[in-house]
């Protein structure tokens, strides 16, 4: 790797750090990607960079076994860097502009089956943390809450005698969610002991041992811990519980629109991707519901 290539990368990182105020993690990602790119280039000056060079870099990255997501990140980093070089007068045009990254298949989220959910939530402990964690998991699965929605839940969001939740989701979109029997009972059990962790006028439903609102990171960590304690083979996360909620509802009801509303999805297509029902099941829903579907 030639010195001029390294020099311009360092200038770019300084620009991102001092002019754009980007986080250290982001700076490190840019540096790693651009360093890897420079090692693949047959040129010694960025002025010689062409569109063909960039296509070759993508091809080599693919042969090296990088995932489509990683290749897309590499291309994005290079595209931003080239725009910086244009602004510096080093390049006349951005050769990365218009180059397409390989298509990324959208991975389907995994879910726990009903038996696994029973095993996870069948918690016998009645300690303070066990009651709190069980309530969090019951709401994640029983109401399909996002991780941010669990962490952001306040006492004022519990309505109708602990029978429903008012949740503020993505885009500040509010939705009312019914709570099932198990979610209600777990939440009541937690609220009875919640006062042991309350400090001042804290309104958060779920609190940490530091007597403040529990963080999203801590919620995810606690769910992972319970998966191990309850001997669940796969890793458990808030997202997986939300997906299990959606999957089990849709498999039982076939009501895609209803599940869309419960999940707080703006578009029906998001709900279709979020679930993993096969075409045959959706065809059965169509056959039962659409007035033009049945043969006379």
């Amino acid at each position: 790797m030639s010195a001029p290539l390294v020099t311009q990368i360092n200038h770019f990182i300084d620009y991102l750090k001092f002019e754009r105020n980007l986080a250290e993690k982001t700076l490190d990602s840019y540096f790693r990607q651009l360093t890897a790119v420079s090692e693949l280039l047959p040129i010694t000056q960025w002025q010689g960079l062409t569109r063909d060079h960039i296509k070759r870099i993508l091809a080599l990255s693919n042969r090296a076994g990088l995932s489509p997501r990683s290749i897309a990140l590499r291309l994005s980093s290079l595209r931003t860097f080239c725009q910086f070089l244009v602004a510096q007068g080093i390049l006349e045009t951005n050769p990365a502009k218009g180059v397409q990254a390989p298509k990324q298949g959208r991975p389907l989220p995994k879910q726990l089956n009903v038996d696994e959910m029973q095993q996870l939530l069948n918690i016998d402990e009645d300690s303070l943390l066990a009651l709190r964690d069980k309530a969090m998991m019951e709401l994640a699965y029983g109401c399909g809450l996002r991780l941010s929605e669990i962490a952001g839940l306040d006492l004022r969001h519990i309505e109708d005698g602990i029978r429903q939740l008012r949740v503020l989701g993505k885009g500040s979109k509010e939705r009312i969610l019914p709570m099932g029997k198990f979610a209600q009972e777990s939440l009541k059990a937690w609220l009875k002991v919640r006062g042991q962790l309350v400090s001042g006028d804290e309104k958060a439903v779920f609190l940490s041992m530091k007597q403040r609102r529990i963080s999203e990171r801590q919620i995810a960590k606690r769910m992972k811990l319970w998966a191990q304690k309850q001997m669940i083979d796969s890793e458990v996360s808030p997202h997986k519980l939300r997906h299990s909620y959606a999957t089990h509802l849709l498999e039982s009801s076939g009501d895609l629109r209803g599940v869309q509303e419960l999940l707080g999805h703006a578009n029906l297509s998001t709900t279709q991707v979020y679930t993993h029902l096969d075409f045959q099941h959706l065809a059965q829903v169509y056959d039962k519901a659409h007035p033009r579907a049945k043969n006379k």
Side-chain angles (χ1 to χ4, degrees):
M1 181 169 39
S2 72
L5 295 182
V6 177
T7 299
Q8 290 302 330
I9 291 174
N10 289 334
H11 288 167
F12 176 60
I13 298 301
D14 286 342
Y15 161 75
L16 295 178
K17 182 176 182 178
F18 298 112
E19 300 293 329
R20 298 269 304 274
N21 296 314
L22 297 188
E24 286 296 329
K25 187 176 180 180
T26 306
L27 297 176
D28 181 62
S29 175
Y30 271 112
F31 182 78
R32 284 187 290 103
Q33 292 297 337
L34 294 174
T35 299
V37 165
S38 64
E39 291 173 349
L40 297 173
L41 287 171
I43 58 176
T44 58
Q45 300 279 348
W46 288 109
Q47 288 92 331
L49 187 65
T50 66
R51 186 183 179 92
D52 286 339
H53 286 138
I54 294 172
K55 288 183 176 180
R56 181 172 180 270
I57 287 168
L58 299 187
L60 290 173
S61 299
N62 183 52
R63 284 181 212 160
L66 265 67
S67 67
R69 183 183 294 273
S70 297
I71 295 174
L73 175 62
R74 178 163 293 182
L75 176 60
S76 175
S77 300
L78 185 55
R79 188 180 291 127
T80 305
F81 176 56
C82 287
Q83 198 58 45
F84 168 79
L85 295 179
V86 170
Q88 296 294 309
I90 295 170
L91 288 174
E92 291 186 6
T93 59
N94 187 341
K97 192 174 183 179
V99 177
Q100 297 294 318
K103 289 185 177 180
Q104 301 179 49
R106 189 170 181 180
L108 293 173
K110 305 296 183 182
Q111 89 286 345
L112 299 177
N113 61 42
V114 175
D115 289 338
E116 288 173 322
M117 286 304 315
Q118 285 281 92
Q119 183 177 336
L120 175 66
L121 297 173
N122 187 24
I123 298 173
D124 292 330
E125 296 181 35
D126 58 359
S127 66
L128 190 64
L129 292 186
L131 292 173
R132 181 199 65 187
D133 295 347
K134 183 174 182 179
M136 289 194 301
M137 291 191 290
E138 286 283 6
L139 289 184
Y141 175 60
C143 300
L145 299 187
R146 297 179 175 94
L147 173 57
S148 60
E149 293 168 349
I150 301 170
L153 203 61
D154 287 340
L155 294 174
R156 61 188 174 86
H157 295 140
I158 302 171
E159 300 183 340
D160 194 25
I162 314 188
R163 284 195 296 236
Q164 63 185 31
L165 293 177
R166 182 160 44 87
V167 177
L168 195 64
K170 285 186 177 180
S172 298
K173 184 179 178 183
E174 191 175 82
R175 67 189 192 280
I176 305 295
L177 298 171
M179 273 192 286
K181 175 185 175 183
F182 291 103
Q184 289 179 41
E185 290 178 350
S186 295
L187 184 55
K188 285 178 182 177
W190 159 243
L191 292 178
K192 284 181 181 179
V193 299
R194 173 184 172 276
Q196 297 179 38
L197 290 179
V198 172
S199 177
D201 60 349
E202 178 60 65
K203 303 301 182 186
V205 172
F206 296 113
L207 306 169
S208 71
M209 293 300 287
K210 294 181 180 179
Q211 297 185 311
R212 56 175 180 251
R213 185 184 300 275
I214 192 170
S215 69
E216 294 182 14
R217 183 176 180 180
Q218 190 66 13
I219 293 171
K221 184 178 179 181
R222 293 297 298 179
M223 290 189 184
K224 185 176 180 180
L225 176 66
W226 278 108
Q228 295 170 350
K229 292 181 71 170
Q230 298 297 94
M231 301 181 69
I232 304 297
D233 291 334
S234 60
E235 192 169 301
V236 170
S237 67
H239 179 67
K240 184 174 285 190
L241 296 191
R242 173 173 158 86
H243 180 59
S244 300
Y245 163 85
T247 301
H248 298 163
L249 266 181
L250 196 49
E251 285 177 342
S252 298
S253 69
D255 188 348
L256 202 58
R257 289 282 182 187
V259 174
Q260 176 194 0
E261 290 296 320
L262 290 168
L263 289 172
H265 285 160
N267 301 310
L268 188 62
S269 59
T270 307
T271 312
Q272 289 173 312
V273 173
Y274 199 86
T275 56
H276 58 91
L277 294 178
D278 57 28
F279 178 79
Q280 184 178 6
H281 183 94
L282 292 176
Q284 290 173 354
V285 172
Y286 171 80
D287 289 341
K288 290 178 182 177
H290 199 282
R292 291 282 194 180
K294 296 177 181 178
N295 294 321
K296 297 292 184 181

